[in-house]
Amino acid sequence: IEDQARLTALQTGAVNFIVDIPPDNLASLESDSKFTVLKQPGIHFWYVGLNITKEPLTNEKVRQALAYAIDKESITRDVLKSTGEPAISMLNPGTWGFTEDIPQYHYDPEKAKQLLAEAGFGDGVEIELWVPESGSGMQSPVAMATVIQANWAEVGVTAKIQTMEWGTFLNNLRTGDHQAFCNSWMAGLPDPDMTLFPFLHSSQVAPKGPNRFFFVDPEIDKLLEDAQSETDQAKRAEIYKQVQQKVYATVPLIPIEHQVQTAAMLSNVKGFTLHPNFDLRIHGVWIE
């Protein structure tokens, strides 16, 4: 059900409970005593994926420039209304394996322009950006992509947004015909393997898995495999740190934000709590 339809159903009492509140309506629900609103960070990230086998994205400096050009703070503040937090990694802050000791791409349009010039694209470059109209964990994909399009335009990157229905979008990504795309990932569990292996291991290259960046690196493969067989969590965390340091230098994808879970219910619904992996657990929930 679309965002506004879910919201209307709650406001009219047709349903008792909804998740993923439209960002523009969050404040009004929070201020209305008829409703209870819950918010909590989840194990989720939204990103721009880059097919590193497609020109001009074969050039590492172009990929780095695209990362520096995106204003993540603006996206989370103006589009998501604080229902997202800017991301530097695929892994959520506060989860084990997360580290800030990795290449970070803070908003720096001048650096982006410099890198594009060094890559031979000082006069500009064109990229097609595939965006789903909606979908699981996608939040406000078209609005977010539109900000990214504007950010890239400021540094000389012309992005043509191509929107698709969710099922069509996923099917098309399997072909490898894309350049750049917007998507999201929910890990299920706060174990780095649940995100890093499917995204980065060569066995997971599309259409076999969600490595739609066509990223292949034997060293990364071995590190990920070593981490799976290691039983000491501290040693695993160190391995995953190495993985992140190497991968973010090459930029097969750009983490944009981590979703803050939201749920709203009629005030007579009691006993519900949010779960970090976005499961809806209603055992012990009742209507007063």
Side-chain angles (χ1 to χ4, degrees):
I1 302 176
E2 295 299 322
D3 285 354
Q4 290 303 317
R6 292 200 314 276
L7 180 66
T8 299
L10 179 72
Q11 291 173 325
T12 59
V15 300
N16 300 92
F17 171 94
I18 64 170
V19 295
D20 295 338
I21 304 167
D24 287 337
N25 302 104
L26 183 61
S28 64
L29 288 177
E30 287 181 311
S31 64
D32 192 329
S33 61
K34 295 195 298 291
F35 307 105
T36 300
V37 174
L38 300 178
K39 294 189 294 185
Q40 175 179 288
I43 308 169
H44 166 281
F45 80 104
W46 195 93
Y47 64 94
V48 174
L50 305 174
N51 183 344
I52 64 175
T53 69
K54 295 288 188 182
E55 295 288 352
L57 301 177
T58 55
N59 191 308
E60 185 175 292
K61 287 187 176 181
V62 171
R63 301 195 301 269
Q64 291 173 339
L66 295 176
Y68 277 118
I70 297 176
D71 187 352
K72 302 175 187 178
E73 297 281 351
S74 175
I75 291 171
T76 56
R77 181 188 64 244
D78 301 332
V79 178
L80 299 179
K81 313 293 184 185
S82 299
T83 60
E85 299 174 348
I88 63 170
S89 169
M90 292 183 273
L91 305 182
N92 287 60
T95 60
W96 76 270
F98 171 81
T99 178
E100 292 187 352
D101 187 16
I102 54 176
Q104 297 188 25
Y105 298 91
H106 300 296
Y107 181 51
D108 191 339
E110 294 307 312
K111 179 69 172 177
K113 292 176 184 177
Q114 175 191 329
L115 286 165
L116 286 171
E118 291 175 4
F121 295 99
D123 293 331
V125 64
E126 295 184 1
I127 292 175
E128 188 169 79
L129 180 62
W130 289 8
V131 184
E133 296 165 352
S134 61
S136 176
M138 287 307 297
Q139 300 167 270
S140 302
V142 176
M144 295 162 76
T146 301
V147 173
I148 291 169
Q149 180 186 48
N151 289 162
W152 284 351
E154 291 175 3
V155 302
V157 176
T158 301
K160 178 184 177 182
I161 293 178
Q162 184 173 347
T163 61
M164 305 176 194
E165 180 271 331
W166 178 241
T168 301
F169 171 76
L170 294 179
N171 285 333
N172 287 350
L173 284 178
R174 293 168 59 86
T175 67
D177 292 334
H178 54 282
Q179 286 182 301
F181 64 97
C182 297
N183 207 351
S184 67
W185 181 257
M186 295 183 187
L189 294 171
D191 187 309
D193 182 70
M194 298 290 288
T195 296
L196 299 182
F197 188 92
F199 267 58
L200 303 173
H201 197 274
S202 61
S203 68
Q204 301 299 302
V205 168
K208 294 180 180 178
N211 181 347
R212 300 171 178 117
F213 330 109
F214 296 85
F215 175 84
V216 176
D217 186 316
E219 181 183 346
I220 293 295
D221 280 359
K222 185 176 187 310
L223 287 169
L224 291 169
E225 291 160 11
D226 289 346
Q228 287 183 333
S229 60
E230 176 59 63
T231 58
D232 185 295
Q233 183 169 300
K235 292 180 180 178
R236 289 186 72 205
E238 184 58 35
I239 293 172
Y240 288 129
K241 178 179 177 180
Q242 294 177 53
V243 170
Q244 293 171 82
Q245 288 173 331
K246 184 174 177 62
V247 166
Y248 291 129
T250 64
V251 201
L253 75 160
I254 308 167
I256 303 297
E257 57 91 22
H258 300 291
Q259 182 179 358
V260 174
Q261 301 178 74
T262 59
M265 60 204 79
L266 299 179
S267 57
N268 63 344
V269 177
K270 306 294 181 182
F272 178 81
T273 58
L274 291 167
H275 193 270
N277 70 358
F278 290 79
D279 279 353
L280 295 179
R281 303 187 178 186
I282 59 173
H283 178 73
V285 178
W286 74 97
I287 297 178
E288 204 171 62

